[in-house]
């Protein structure tokens, strides 16, 4: 059973006061807070097994290597990947996308097309633009409607055999929209295009199934899913990881090095050059255990309750407009108040101990589409409460009265 009071006890940071008020942390889409088990696991790693992996014969190095590989297996199981070598450790979503976009230079030629959507994070736009510039390819954009939903008929119209890869997010960080990625993947495969899913906003809320989705690449960050900063995962289908050239050269990723020519290591090591974030990789496994222990179904159900409560509460405020009203969305509420700059609202609610994000949320094209300079974004996690939403609504009303 999901017990919110018990869950909150797991997060020591929630006990503190900010600006003299109890902290209300509603910036979960930027990064999540960490449960005590994760904090302890970081400290335990450095207190008892810190050593470089895959190198030494000594006992500590073996312990660290085993822990790192156990975590890879946990992640494989969690996302239902067919093979553990399809799970690559990265430093986050951004590096996962760059790894794929860089390697796709091999497959994208002049006149080819690469497709993203109108609601992508900058990190799922810019690496593809860079690829298109290198290759002389064209970047296509799947448009969205006024609710912040992708227009699927337009997507199908844009697809053809020149499209080499489609890169879309599972869940939008600025709108909360949950995209129909299974449909997107199947349609792309029908024209021979590969698909990368940016799962940065999905990993904290749901359990993506690689084999059921049949996506070619799926990437997420540890820090948004209760794990350490600088940890992350790129899932890649074996057949693609075998074809894709290495991203970075260095130690760990080679079989043999000669000045004439070097050969590369087997998967997954081919894509893990240099000393990785060992502690991050290991503790990401701890974070995933924690999420499973709370239960992702419980998490999603409770967050949906917070979403409908928050939507209703905020909508009662006159002049407040919610941006991103998709039928299928997660617990992200982006909003603006007529005639008031989002930054000013953010600054005033911060004085009341409430952390929200203001600005473009690394999605400038989304802001342009809705013709706003930015939004105030409140993103709820499973450790938030309805009382905290009441506090936000009261603070927003106060800000509105002060500024309006
Ligand atoms: C946060 C985020 C990213 C970037 O993740 P990093 O952890 O900064 O690498 C990419 N896409 C989406 C949808 C995000 O929310």
């Amino acid at each position: 059973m999901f017990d919110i009071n018990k869950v909150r006890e797991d997060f020591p940071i929630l006990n503190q006061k900010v600006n003299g008020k109890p902290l209300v942390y509603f910036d979960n889409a930027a990064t999540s807070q960490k449960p005590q088990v994760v904090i302890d696991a970081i400290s335990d790693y450095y207190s008892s097994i810190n050593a470089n992996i895959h190198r030494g014969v000594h006992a500590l190095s073996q312990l660290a290597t085993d822990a790192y590989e156990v975590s890879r297996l946990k992640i494989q199981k969690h996302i239902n990947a067919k093979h553990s070598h399809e799970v690559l450790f990265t430093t986050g979503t951004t590096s996962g996308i760059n790894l794929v976009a860089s390697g796709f230079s091999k497959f994208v030629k002049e006149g080819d097309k690469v497709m993203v959507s109108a609601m992508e994070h900058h990190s799922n736009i810019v690496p593809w633009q860079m690829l298109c510039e290198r290759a002389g390819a064209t970047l296509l954009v799947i448009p969205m409607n006024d609710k912040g939903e992708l227009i699927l008929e337009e997507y199908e119209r844009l697809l053809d055999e020149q499209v080499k890869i489609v890169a879309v997010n599972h869940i939008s960080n600025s709108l909360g929209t949950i995209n129909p990625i299974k449909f997107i993947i199947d349609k792309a495969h029908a024209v021979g295009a590969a698909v990368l899913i940016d799962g940065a906003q999905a990993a904290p809320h749901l359990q993506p199934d690689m084999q059921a989705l049949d996506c070619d690449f799926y990437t997420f960050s540890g820090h948004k899913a209760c794990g350490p900063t600088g940890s992350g995962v790129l899932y890649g289908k074996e057949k693609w990881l075998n074809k894709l050239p290495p991203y970075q050269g260095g130690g760990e990723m080679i079989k043999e090095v000669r000045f004439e020519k070097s050969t590369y290591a087997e998967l997954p090591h081919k894509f893990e050059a240099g000393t990785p974030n060992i502690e991050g990789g290991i503790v990401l496994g701890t974070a995933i255990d924690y999420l499973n222990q709370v239960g992702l179904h419980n998490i999603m159900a409770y967050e949906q309750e917070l979403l409908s409560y928050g939507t209703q509460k905020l909508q009662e405020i006159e002049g407040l407009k919610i941006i991103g009203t998709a039928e299928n969305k997660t617990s992200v509420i982006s909003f603006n108040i007529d005639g008031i700059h989002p930054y000013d609202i953010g600054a005033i609610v911060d004085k009341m101990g409430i952390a929200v994000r203001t600005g473009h949320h690394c999605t400038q094209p989304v802001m342009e589409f809705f013709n706003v300079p930015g939004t105030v974004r409140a993103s709820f996690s499973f450790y938030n409460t309805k009382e905290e939403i009441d506090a936000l609504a009261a603070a927003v009303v106060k800000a509105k009265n002060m500024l309006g």
Side-chain angles (χ1 to χ4, degrees):
M1 269 307 288
F2 182 82
D3 179 349
I4 180 63
N5 294 320
K6 205 160 157 291
V7 164
R8 285 180 68 83
E9 281 171 15
D10 293 336
F11 292 84
I13 205 169
L14 300 178
N15 288 324
Q16 68 179 297
K17 292 213 156 106
V18 167
N19 292 325
K21 300 277 163 45
L23 168 66
V24 173
Y25 186 77
F26 282 160
D27 196 15
N28 294 289
T31 200
S32 74
Q33 295 304 344
K34 318 302 171 201
Q36 191 66 51
V37 283
V38 163
I39 300 167
D40 289 345
I42 294 170
S43 160
D44 288 351
Y45 169 76
Y46 288 113
S47 312
S48 57
I49 61 169
N50 176 54
N52 211 331
I53 53 170
H54 303 137
R55 290 168 204 239
V57 290
H58 64 84
L60 277 191
S61 174
Q62 202 53 56
L63 272 179
T65 304
D66 289 349
Y68 198 65
E69 293 306 323
V70 162
S71 181
R72 195 191 306 272
L73 292 170
K74 255 181 214 173
I75 295 161
Q76 177 203 354
K77 184 156 172 270
H78 182 73
I79 64 175
N80 194 28
K82 195 161 177 195
H83 306 291
S84 64
H85 58 252
E86 293 177 321
V87 174
L88 310 181
F89 282 116
T90 66
T91 57
T93 306
T94 302
S95 69
I97 297 169
N98 276 281
L99 186 159
V100 178
S102 159
F104 254 70
S105 290
K106 193 171 159 187
F107 311 114
V108 176
K109 301 285 174 253
E110 202 171 335
D112 283 342
K113 300 169 186 169
V114 169
M115 203 187 290
V116 296
S117 91
M119 62 174 84
E120 297 310 313
H121 189 283
H122 295 163
S123 70
N124 202 26
I125 300 174
V126 181
W128 304 112
Q129 280 175 327
M130 290 161 64
L131 166 64
C132 287
E133 272 169 33
R134 284 196 302 274
T138 307
L139 190 75
L140 302 178
V141 182
I142 311 166
M144 65 178 161
N145 63 23
D146 290 343
K147 294 165 95 176
E149 296 167 326
L150 294 180
I151 305 174
L152 298 175
E153 305 79 65
E154 288 296 314
Y155 168 55
E156 291 193 71
R157 210 178 50 78
L158 287 170
L159 267 180
D160 63 28
E161 258 121 59
Q162 257 104 50
V163 178
K164 297 300 160 199
I165 187 161
V166 175
V168 294
N169 59 43
H170 194 163
I171 296 176
S172 152
N173 66 304
S174 50
L175 301 169
T177 311
I178 305 175
N179 286 312
I181 57 167
K182 181 63 185 152
F183 177 88
I184 290 171
I185 292 164
D186 290 347
K187 291 291 172 190
H189 284 171
V191 298
V195 180
L196 175 139
I197 302 295
D198 169 354
Q201 293 296 330
H205 307 291
L206 50 84
Q207 194 172 357
D209 182 326
M210 294 306 111
Q211 293 184 71
L213 285 170
D214 194 32
C215 57
D216 303 290
F217 303 98
Y218 193 103
T219 181
F220 60 92
S221 302
H223 72 95
K224 291 180 181 174
C226 292
T229 303
S231 66
V233 169
L234 172 68
Y235 159 84
K237 247 187 215 165
E238 185 183 52
K239 73 161 192 192
W240 276 110
L241 294 182
N242 279 330
K243 282 194 282 190
L244 211 61
Y247 180 42
Q248 290 184 315
E252 290 292 332
M253 56 74 73
I254 49 85
K255 193 180 279 164
E256 273 189 336
V257 174
R258 299 273 181 284
F259 283 113
E260 300 73 42
K261 185 170 174 51
S262 299
T263 51
Y264 306 132
E266 299 295 315
L267 296 176
H269 308 296
K270 175 180 154 190
F271 292 103
E272 294 183 349
T275 302
N277 179 355
I278 303 168
E279 157 258 309
I282 294 172
V283 181
L284 179 53
T286 311
I288 285 176
D289 284 343
Y290 176 78
L291 290 176
N292 282 321
Q293 186 207 313
V294 178
L296 281 152
H297 286 291
N298 294 331
I299 287 175
M300 191 58 138
Y302 178 70
E303 288 173 345
Q304 287 293 316
E305 241 181 79
L306 293 181
L307 173 66
S308 41
Y309 185 78
T311 303
Q312 195 197 327
K313 266 274 163 190
L314 289 170
Q315 260 168 352
E316 283 167 10
I317 300 170
E318 215 185 285
L320 186 144
K321 183 162 180 271
I322 293 177
I323 292 170
T325 50
E327 295 301 326
N328 203 6
K329 66 178 275 195
T330 47
S331 48
V332 169
I333 306 181
S334 261
F335 63 91
N336 271 317
I337 294 183
D338 282 345
I340 303 178
H341 198 280
Y343 176 83
D344 296 332
I345 298 172
I348 290 180
V349 305
D350 175 60
K351 293 271 181 297
M352 297 175 228
I354 302 171
V356 291
R357 178 136 302 215
T358 64
H360 55 64
H361 320 297
C362 295
T363 56
Q364 283 181 0
V366 173
M367 301 302 123
E368 207 171 304
F369 176 83
F370 286 100
N371 198 22
V372 292
T375 69
V376 181
R377 182 186 69 186
S379 47
F380 310 135
S381 180
F382 60 94
Y383 42 73
N384 291 128
T385 65
K386 290 184 184 169
E387 291 71 36
E388 290 180 316
I389 293 173
D390 291 341
L392 171 68
V396 169
V397 168
K398 197 163 167 191
K400 185 190 148 192
N401 292 339
M402 284 169 71
L403 298 163

